[in-house]
Amino acid sequence: MSDQNNINREEEIKKLEKISVEKVKERWRFVIFYRFMFLFVTLGGWEVLGRTGTIDPFFFSMPSSIAYQLYIWIIKGTSQGPLWLQVLVTLEETVLGFLIGAVMGIICGIALGRNKMLADIFSIYIKIANAIPRIVLGSIFIIALGLGMASKVALAVVMVFFVVFGNAFQGVREADTNLIANARVLGASDRQVTFKVVLPSALSWILASLHISFGFALVGAVVGEFLGSKQGIGLLIATAQGAFNAAGVFAAMIVLAVVALLADYLITRLENRLLKWRPTVQ
Amino acid sequence: MNSNFLIELENVDRRFTSPEGKIIQVLDNFSMTVKPGEFCAVVGPTGCGKSTTLSLISGLAKANAGKVLIEGKEFEGIDSRVGYVFQTDAVFPWKNVLDNVAVGPLFRGVDKKEAIEKSLDWIKRVGLQGFEHHYPHQLSGGMRKRVALAQTFINSPDILLMDEPFSSLDVQTKLLMQQELLQLWSKHKAAVVFVTHDIEEATILADKVYVLSKRPTKVKKIYNVDIERPRIVTETRYTKKFIEISKSIWNDLSEEVNI
Ligand SMILES: Nc1ncnc2c1ncn2[C@@H]1O[C@H](COP(=O)(O)OP(=O)(O)OP(=O)(O)O)[C@@H](O)[C@H]1O
Ligand SMILES: [Mg+2]
């Protein structure tokens, strides 16, 4: 009798579950639909406004011209060589700058964070350096390092370094003193405390900074190219600007966005792997 | 001096300076001794310096005056014979249970395989088998406490410092863990300094109970708990002697708290 009841109850719950799963799916379809609608209306509106002359396509371009420009770049290449080569050059500068800046930032952040005296002496300068718009250094780097890759990498490094440094430093300062005490009693040497306790505690701070700083590295590389170079997406933008080619500027922007999104995806994957011990936030 | 003590605190002062430069005198001419294999409990009003005392013995903090001796000698840094179960959660959140427990031997240079084997053994002993690969945030507070215990016991310390280790547990688990602790201790006779707020817990576990005064803190009274061992926590608590001792500790303590 009560077994029968239990079975009925289970079936009821299963039914409820089916309904709720269906509802979740329904909601998701709704979201996707309106996302496409939004895109369609925005781009369509832009196109219509451009074609009717309400906004001047010479200055603001139109989705169709941008798409055409991209098509031309992909099929026939740009005035400065194939598109993939431009992407590759910019990407190389970005990644190099990002890696160098991030590693330097992590090392310096931890070294300073672990040493109270150094921290007290330098923290004020770090704040100042962070407040300066460092992108202006691009001009100095072009003068000093020339039009080649070095000046762009240098600018990307400067952009990345301070962000990662600041976060690594903060992460180290906030490492739980209780955990450090526990590690020391359990037998950890100073080295082990740094690498097995402080570094993992700071890791979520550091990874968070990597997210933003890849974008900064990209900005550094592109602005560097923009200021003076022989190749890269930044030059593509500069050239398009010189030729009053608004579609070219927008098209280059799209290429950059794709690169940035891909990088962000990869960093998120890395983060999830390294921080799998964290409670999942939903 | 008398060197058959394992731990000696001789006329120790410990004070803190507030950010405005005010001095908080915590331990004041404070003395305490623990023999090898002796189980000492410490009770006292909140904020009187119980945790401070443990961090002095562990070597994590230094006395402002007086001597802290282990086997009659002053020491630098942290003695490898010390194990310390902290008052607050101190397990490593990025390590799973297995790695958390194995961390002590690994820090001390034991090879990986042996450390893991020992860790599995201790996980079983504290009743966490099946949770080896869980991360701390996936455990209950009581389970995390057990991880902390296993983490400390795996180093088989001769000096065991415990700061309210069972205060977050429900009564049943608490009694179980107390019994378990007594058993572990009777096998490997460590000198224990056990801080607690729970007078009955202090009486049931310890050979000696230190009752501390409020700040500036001195030892108010020392009780010798001469109840024979082995004790059974669920039964010994109803004996006459037990009730007598815990009552008078209670009276001492309420004098300190009620003013
Ligand atoms: N790092 C510190 N800086 C300043 N004051 C401190 C510091 N640590 C402890 N104190 C002070 O020392 C006193 C004793 O602290 P302690 O943690 O030893 O108390 P306790 O007896 O363990 O208390 P509880 O039973 O609540 O755990 C407290 O009044 C506290 O304010
Ligand atoms: Mg305390």
Side-chain angles (χ1 to χ4, degrees), chain B residues 50-52 87 163-164 195:
Chain B
K50 302 183 292 297
S51 302
T52 305
Q87 184 169 10
D163 201 344
E164 302 187 27
V195 168

Side-chain angles (χ1 to χ4, degrees), chain A residues 178-179 181-188 192 196-197 200-201 276-279, chain B residues 78 82 84 86 88-94 103-104 107-108 135 137 151 155:
Chain A
N178 218 6
L179 290 184
N182 192 19
R184 289 180 61 200
V185 174
L186 289 172
Q192 284 170 324
K196 301 278 160 93
V197 183
S201 325
K276 66 176 191 294
W277 55 270
R278 266 201 315 204
Chain B
I78 292 159
V82 170
Y84 192 165
F86 290 82
T88 42
D89 228 356
V91 296
F92 304 105
W94 55 86
V103 92
F107 280 152
R108 289 163 188 228
Y135 286 95
H137 77 267
Q151 201 177 46
N155 281 335

Side-chain angles (χ1 to χ4, degrees), chain A residues 125-193:
Chain A
Y125 296 112
I126 302 300
K127 272 211 187 95
I128 294 173
N130 241 337
I132 299 175
R134 296 181 297 281
I135 198 83
V136 179
L137 284 175
S139 301
I140 304 285
F141 289 143
I142 301 279
I143 296 170
L145 301 172
L147 294 182
M149 186 170 272
S151 54
K152 285 81 198 169
V153 173
L155 188 54
V157 167
V158 170
M159 296 294 290
V160 169
F161 173 79
F162 287 95
V163 179
V164 176
F165 173 89
N167 269 43
F169 179 77
Q170 191 68 14
V172 169
R173 303 299 293 175
E174 302 219 338
D176 191 343
T177 49
N178 218 6
L179 290 184
I180 295 173
N182 192 19
R184 289 180 61 200
V185 174
L186 289 172
S189 61
D190 281 348
R191 232 184 110 81
Q192 284 170 324
V193 168

Side-chain angles (χ1 to χ4, degrees), chain B:
Chain B
M1 269 235 359
N2 203 339
S3 61
N4 57 16
F5 292 121
L6 183 52
I7 307 168
E8 281 171 273
L9 279 75
E10 266 179 49
N11 310 328
V12 167
D13 281 1
R14 172 72 181 159
R15 48 185 164 265
F16 292 103
T17 325
S18 73
E20 305 90 54
K22 270 199 192 155
I23 285 177
I24 310 165
Q25 184 79 12
V26 179
L27 299 182
D28 189 42
N29 208 1
F30 184 92
S31 297
M32 174 177 182
T33 54
V34 186
K35 291 195 204 116
E38 191 174 39
F39 201 126
C40 271
V42 178
V43 296
T46 181
C48 74
K50 302 183 292 297
S51 302
T52 305
T53 309
L54 293 191
S55 64
L56 288 176
I57 299 173
S58 70
L60 286 166
K62 291 264 160 269
N64 298 96
K67 284 184 185 159
V68 180
L69 307 174
I70 290 184
E71 276 188 337
K73 286 191 282 282
E74 287 190 85
F75 57 100
E76 271 302 311
I78 292 159
D79 197 290
S80 63
R81 283 166 297 180
V82 170
Y84 192 165
V85 181
F86 290 82
Q87 184 169 10
T88 42
D89 228 356
V91 296
F92 304 105
W94 55 86
K95 286 184 187 295
N96 63 23
V97 172
L98 185 64
D99 294 338
N100 252 301
V101 177
V103 92
L106 288 176
F107 280 152
R108 289 163 188 228
V110 172
D111 81 40
K112 178 107 188 174
K113 200 164 151 253
E114 199 186 326
I116 295 290
E117 253 165 45
K118 267 180 113 178
S119 169
L120 285 170
D121 180 40
W122 272 104
I123 288 169
K124 215 181 283 163
R125 286 212 230 175
V126 296
L128 284 176
Q129 61 270 59
F131 292 93
E132 290 85 355
H133 299 288
H134 282 57
Y135 286 95
H137 77 267
Q138 298 166 316
L139 304 175
S140 72
M143 288 161 100
R144 277 202 294 274
K145 206 82 235 190
R146 288 168 196 230
V147 177
L149 292 175
Q151 201 177 46
T152 297
F153 285 139
I154 198 174
N155 281 335
S156 29
D158 292 328
I159 298 172
L160 181 55
L161 311 174
M162 303 179 87
D163 201 344
E164 302 187 27
F166 305 146
S167 62
S168 62
L169 304 181
D170 62 280
V171 183
Q172 264 84 25
T173 319
K174 189 174 185 165
L175 293 180
L176 268 172
M177 298 291 291
Q178 287 170 352
Q179 192 67 60
E180 191 67 23
L181 175 63
L182 283 179
Q183 240 139 40
L184 288 172
W185 173 74
S186 67
K187 268 183 233 145
H188 179 89
K189 281 265 185 172
V192 183
V193 183
F194 188 101
V195 168
T196 178
H197 273 132
D198 182 341
I199 291 164
E200 301 195 334
E201 180 172 68
T203 318
I204 204 88
L205 295 176
D207 299 318
K208 220 155 86 178
V209 179
Y210 277 80
V211 182
L212 307 189
S213 69
K214 62 183 189 328
R215 270 181 309 153
T217 306
K218 295 180 185 305
V219 177
K220 184 180 170 84
K221 207 158 181 182
I222 303 171
Y223 285 86
N224 282 307
V225 186
D226 50 354
I227 299 174
E228 70 282 3
R229 297 185 187 270
R231 299 175 191 167
I232 298 161
V233 291
T234 46
E235 290 170 17
T236 308
R237 61 198 299 117
Y238 300 111
T239 60
K240 208 168 143 232
K241 214 176 216 165
F242 174 89
I243 295 170
E244 217 170 79
I245 296 172
S246 30
K247 241 188 192 157
S248 53
I249 296 177
W250 178 262
N251 289 337
D252 275 337
L253 208 52
S254 53
E255 275 172 32
E256 293 301 318
V257 179
N258 277 343
I259 303 169

Side-chain angles (χ1 to χ4, degrees), chain A residues 212-260:
Chain A
I212 354 168
S213 61
F214 190 88
F216 280 14
L218 195 60
V219 170
V222 170
V223 170
E225 289 167 354
F226 196 86
L227 292 173
S229 67
K230 300 187 206 100
Q231 260 181 337
I233 299 174
L235 180 62
L236 215 53
I237 296 174
T239 312
Q241 182 195 328
F244 291 99
N245 175 7
V249 177
F250 281 116
M253 249 168 77
I254 291 175
V255 173
L256 285 177
V258 169
V259 170

